[in-house]
Amino acid sequence: MSSGRRIDREKKTIAAMMAIYCRDHHASARGLCQECTGLLDYAQRRLDTCPFQEEKPACNLCEVHCYAAAMRERTRAVMRYAGPRMLLPHPILSLGHMLDKWRPVPRLKARKRDR
Ligand code: SF4
Ligand SMILES: [Zn+2]
């Protein structure tokens, strides 16, 4: 599925975070382990179907919370670990991720009414 710049950036960010997390927790020298591949696929599918797309807020501020509880917890653990370790290898993605929390949080019902 083709996506806009914002969603593409988020896909790159979560992939980079997952690579850091997997390297340090699962000793994966090349690519992601099976468990992390599954989690990354899941997170990227969430981004593909996110109803906000280019207006997407930070997921932790979102009113929809489309993640299943267990997947949300696993993704949070990855972000908690990898977030502070992103700055040196991925400064631009890291800055974008930090700024995302200041983005306005759209309301889903208001968006539907506007259409
Ligand atoms: S939690 Fe909200 S912002 Fe994040 S992908 Fe799901 S719907 Fe989109
Ligand atoms: Zn892994």
Side-chain angles (χ1 to χ4, degrees), residues 46 50-52 56-57 59 62 64-67:
R46 298 294 89 203
C50 174
F52 303 111
K56 181 188 170 298
C59 286
C62 170
V64 176
H65 292 313
C66 68
Y67 280 63

Side-chain angles (χ1 to χ4, degrees), residues 3-91:
S3 48
R5 285 179 58 188
R6 164 131 177 75
I7 295 295
D8 280 347
R9 174 173 61 77
E10 288 236 5
K11 284 183 177 179
K12 283 183 192 144
T13 302
I14 188 68
M17 285 186 174
M18 209 72 84
I20 291 170
Y21 183 89
C22 190
R23 179 197 68 201
D24 293 358
H25 289 78
H26 307 143
S28 54
R30 270 193 274 153
L32 295 180
C33 73
Q34 198 175 356
E35 183 186 325
C36 292
T37 300
L39 185 58
L40 179 60
D41 285 349
Y42 180 87
Q44 300 215 327
R45 278 199 308 276
R46 298 294 89 203
L47 288 168
D48 280 335
T49 56
C50 174
F52 303 111
Q53 291 298 300
E54 294 302 284
E55 294 161 45
K56 181 188 170 298
C59 286
N60 62 342
L61 301 177
C62 170
E63 65 170 9
V64 176
H65 292 313
C66 68
Y67 280 63
M71 297 304 241
R72 190 174 167 199
E73 200 39 57
R74 285 175 62 194
T75 306
R76 269 185 169 167
V78 169
M79 289 190 166
R80 252 196 316 266
Y81 179 81
R85 293 167 173 83
M86 283 279 288
L87 199 54
L88 278 182
H90 303 287

Side-chain angles (χ1 to χ4, degrees), residues 77-114:
V78 169
M79 289 190 166
R80 252 196 316 266
Y81 179 81
R85 293 167 173 83
M86 283 279 288
L87 199 54
L88 278 182
H90 303 287
I92 305 292
L93 291 178
S94 185
L95 183 64
H97 186 68
M98 282 190 265
L99 293 175
D100 281 345
K101 67 173 178 242
W102 299 107
R103 295 173 69 91
V105 180
R107 316 294 296 186
L108 194 58
K109 284 191 182 125
R111 277 175 51 89
K112 279 183 177 160
R113 213 173 29 240
D114 290 346

